[in-house]
């Protein structure tokens, strides 16, 4: 099929790479806010396995061409238009949709963006009868975008038209061979389902964080609670790991979008508000543990932080817990030595030059030199097995604050360090 992909989101880059790799003739028109000249240097894209190599391979083979303007995109020649833009760019689609309306023929428009519920139907109305729209919610996992597109566990396909569904199935047929992974539903249902999924995952995380706080106050190791809950077949283990808060561009955005949908419908969600409040509160939990350990005497101290990215495998810091943690530390005059293997450029873009911040991306132990405590914020694999002898020698006060509960409290204590996790501690 002849496919025009519009957008500069991860979903657009992944679709361009994947669809062109299986023989579709793809034209990619990045959004003017983030043209290719800027996008190709983005750390988050460069760290995605396979994507840049496949984009280059597809361009060389001729199955993919990248254009900078709508005229070069030749919208009248396309069979499918794949929209993957950010919510803030929704109003910029007017020119593209107007060009599509001039085309005679049955066009398929795929809404792969996270827009308000009902937007896929409104897009079809703007086509003036010259095409059909389907909703295909973005379910990509950042850091695993290629795998989640080409070997999907599921696709949520929102379609109210049998012909549009058939064409969409043909478009995705190369990625639907192992087993049936396309779950069809009405367009609005697909849009709401995407938001509801992330709302449920966030609720599980926040509930587990509440249990971790309760376990702390009762002197209970929350790991026993987590394992007991997860062993119940009605609950399972997924997203039951307490931590110092979640972030990410899509996850956080979807939660806010779900809150907006609730508000617009006149149905205020006290539950969702609580989930969001718990998460923001948790982003400062390591700061509060540091404060308690030193009885509020923090000014002039130096702490090390391992991890800035909102999750391992990405260079993004959108809504990452480290941002709120840094603000709290700097407000108390604490100097921070921060290590992250990928997200340092994004962090510096966000916070600018800070006299109380030093950054490192090589050996993580170097960041601990002269620090009284280490805070683990992002569970990069490089942090799971440090040189314990070296770490014990470097940390002046021997305090390790584990924001992701990746270390064994008893083992850490045996190395001569004071351990505090999220609902976990080595002390009896």
């Amino acid at each position: 099929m002849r496919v025009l992909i519009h957008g500069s989101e991860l979903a657009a880059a992944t679709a361009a790479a994947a669809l062109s790799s299986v023989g579709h003739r793809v034209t990619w028109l990045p959004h003017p806010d983030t043209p290719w000249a800027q996008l190709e240097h983005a750390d988050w894209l460069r760290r995605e396995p396979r994507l840049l190599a496949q984009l280059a391979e597809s361009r060389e083979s001729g199955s993919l061409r990248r254009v900078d303007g709508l005229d070069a995109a030749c919208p009248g020649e396309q069979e499918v238009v794949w929209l993957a833009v950010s919510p803030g760019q929704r109003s910029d689609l007017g020119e593209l949709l107007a060009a599509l309306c001039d085309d005679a023929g049955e066009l398929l428009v795929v809404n792969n963006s996270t827009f308000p519920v009902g937007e896929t139907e409104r897009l079809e109305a703007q086509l003036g009868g010259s095409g059909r729209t389907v909703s295909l919610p973005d379910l990509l996992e950042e850091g695993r975008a290629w795998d989640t597109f080409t070997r999907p566990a599921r696709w949520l396909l929102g379609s109210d038209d049998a012909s549009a569904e058939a064409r969409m199935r043909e478009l995705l047929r190369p990625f639907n061979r192992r087993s049936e992974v396309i779950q069809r539903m009405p367009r609005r249902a697909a849009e709401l389902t995407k938001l509801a999924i992330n709302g449920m995952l966030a609720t599980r995380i926040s509930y587990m964080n509440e249990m971790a706080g309760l376990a702390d106050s009762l002197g209970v190791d929350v790991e026993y609670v987590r394992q007991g809950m997860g062993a119940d077949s009605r609950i399972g283990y997924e997203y039951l790991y307490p931590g110092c808060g979640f972030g990410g561009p899509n996850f956080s955005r979807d939660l806010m979008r779900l809150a907006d949908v609730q508000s617009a419908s006149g149905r205020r969600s006290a539950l969702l508000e609580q989930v969001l409040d718990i998460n923001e509160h948790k982003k400062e939990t390591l700061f509060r543990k540091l404060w308690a350990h030193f009885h509020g005497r923090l000014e002039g101290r130096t702490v090390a932080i391992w991890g800035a990215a909102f999750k391992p495998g990405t260079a993004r810091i959108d809504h990452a817990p480290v941002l709120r943690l840094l603000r709290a530390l700097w407000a108390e005059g604490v100097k921070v030595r921060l290590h992250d293997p990928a997200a340092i450029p994004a962090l510096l873009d966000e916070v600018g030059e800070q006299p109380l911040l030093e950054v490192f991306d090589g050996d993580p132990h170097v960041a601990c030199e002269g620090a009284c405590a280490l805070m683990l914020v992002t569970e990069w694999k490089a942090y799971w097995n440090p040189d314990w002898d070296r770490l014990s020698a470097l940390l002046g006060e021997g305090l390790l604050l584990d924001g992701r509960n990746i270390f064994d409290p008893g083992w850490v204590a045996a190395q001569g360090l004071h351990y505090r996790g999220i609902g976990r501690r080595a002390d009896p």
Side-chain angles (χ1 to χ4, degrees):
M1 292 186 181
R2 297 185 301 275
V3 183
L4 171 62
I5 295 175
H6 178 51
S8 298
E9 299 284 284
L10 176 59
T14 307
L19 294 175
S20 62
S21 75
V22 294
H24 294 299
R25 287 160 287 173
V26 177
T27 300
W28 182 15
L29 172 63
H31 192 276
D33 285 354
T34 313
W36 176 250
Q38 177 181 342
L39 190 60
E40 66 175 328
H41 299 295
D43 287 329
W44 59 265
L45 179 57
R46 297 175 71 86
R47 292 193 63 85
E48 282 291 338
R50 185 74 186 270
L51 276 195
L52 284 177
Q54 183 58 57
L55 289 170
E57 182 179 325
S58 293
R59 288 196 70 200
E60 186 175 345
S61 70
S63 61
L64 171 66
R65 66 188 187 102
R66 196 178 57 246
V67 298
D68 297 321
L70 182 57
D71 292 340
C74 305
E77 299 177 4
Q78 308 299 332
E79 299 173 84
V80 178
V81 174
W82 184 291
L83 302 177
V85 299
S86 70
Q89 296 166 347
R90 179 165 53 109
S91 60
D92 299 339
L93 297 176
E95 182 182 358
L96 177 63
L97 293 175
L100 297 177
C101 290
D102 292 337
D103 176 38
E106 192 64 17
L107 187 74
L108 177 65
V109 175
V110 181
N111 178 16
N112 192 217
S113 309
T114 302
F115 289 158
V117 175
E119 186 67 15
T120 306
E121 296 173 13
R122 288 188 284 271
L123 289 172
E124 183 168 308
Q126 293 181 60
L127 292 173
S130 63
R132 294 289 180 265
T133 61
V134 298
S135 171
L136 190 75
D138 174 12
L139 299 177
L140 295 180
E141 296 179 32
E142 191 152 348
R144 297 185 60 250
W146 174 265
D147 287 342
T148 48
F149 193 109
T150 60
R151 299 173 67 85
R154 70 194 186 288
W155 291 102
L156 296 178
L157 175 59
S159 177
D160 299 295
D161 180 86
S163 175
E165 178 187 349
R167 296 173 70 190
M168 196 65 199
R169 285 182 173 275
E170 176 61 22
L171 181 70
L172 298 177
R173 180 170 50 82
F175 316 114
N176 190 36
R177 295 191 67 198
R178 290 186 303 160
S179 62
E180 176 57 48
V181 298
I182 295 177
Q183 183 178 5
R184 194 210 68 80
M185 58 186 68
R187 289 173 292 189
R188 288 193 176 213
E191 292 167 331
L192 181 56
T193 299
K194 162 66 186 308
L195 301 180
I197 287 171
N198 280 345
M200 174 60 79
L201 297 181
T203 300
R204 284 174 66 98
I205 295 170
S206 290
Y207 180 79
M208 202 62 212
N209 278 333
E210 283 288 272
M211 291 299 100
L214 180 59
D216 243 347
S217 65
L218 296 176
V220 172
D221 187 341
V222 75
E223 181 64 8
Y224 291 116
V225 180
R226 185 191 70 80
Q227 291 186 19
M229 291 173 63
D232 190 315
S233 61
R234 298 168 299 176
I235 299 174
Y237 291 99
E238 294 298 320
Y239 286 80
L240 280 190
Y241 294 92
C244 56
F246 56 77
N250 295 326
F251 203 56
S252 302
R253 190 165 63 192
D254 286 354
L255 292 179
M256 297 307 298
R257 178 67 67 194
L258 182 56
D260 290 343
V261 169
Q262 290 269 22
S263 177
S265 70
R267 299 176 59 87
R268 173 178 169 269
S269 174
L271 173 61
L272 189 57
E273 291 175 5
Q274 188 69 14
V275 166
L276 293 168
D277 286 345
I278 291 171
N279 186 54
E280 288 305 304
H281 183 72
K282 276 297 174 182
K283 290 180 180 180
E284 288 189 355
T285 191
L286 295 185
F287 171 79
R288 291 191 294 273
K289 290 178 182 293
L290 184 76
W291 176 281
H293 185 84
F294 291 112
H295 307 288
R297 296 188 292 273
L298 298 181
E299 186 173 3
R301 293 186 181 275
T302 298
V303 302
I305 292 179
W306 280 359
F310 76 87
K311 74 172 188 176
T314 182
R316 296 205 197 197
I317 61 164
D318 308 62
H319 307 285
V322 76
L323 297 174
R324 185 157 179 171
L325 175 60
L326 286 173
R327 287 193 292 268
L329 291 169
W330 291 337
E332 295 297 322
V334 177
K335 181 179 178 181
V336 175
R337 293 169 61 86
L338 185 145
H339 179 279
D340 191 283
I344 295 301
L347 179 68
L348 294 178
D349 284 345
E350 177 69 24
V351 304
E353 293 295 327
Q354 293 287 342
L356 294 175
L357 176 67
E358 286 185 80
V359 294
F360 306 85
D361 58 7
D363 181 354
H365 297 85
V366 175
C368 298
E369 294 177 358
C372 65
L374 168 62
M375 297 176 163
L376 184 134
V377 177
T378 310
E379 64 275 30
W380 288 95
K381 292 301 183 185
Y383 302 152
W384 283 65
N385 290 285
D387 182 334
W388 290 107
D389 289 339
R390 186 179 176 190
L391 196 61
S392 298
L394 288 172
L395 295 176
E397 300 287 342
L399 176 62
L400 194 158
L401 300 173
D402 183 0
R404 298 300 172 187
N405 288 358
I406 68 172
F407 300 122
D408 179 82
W411 177 266
V412 175
Q415 312 311 306
L417 295 169
H418 303 290
Y419 177 89
R420 293 291 183 271
I422 309 301
R424 305 200 73 193
R425 64 175 62 204
D427 302 342

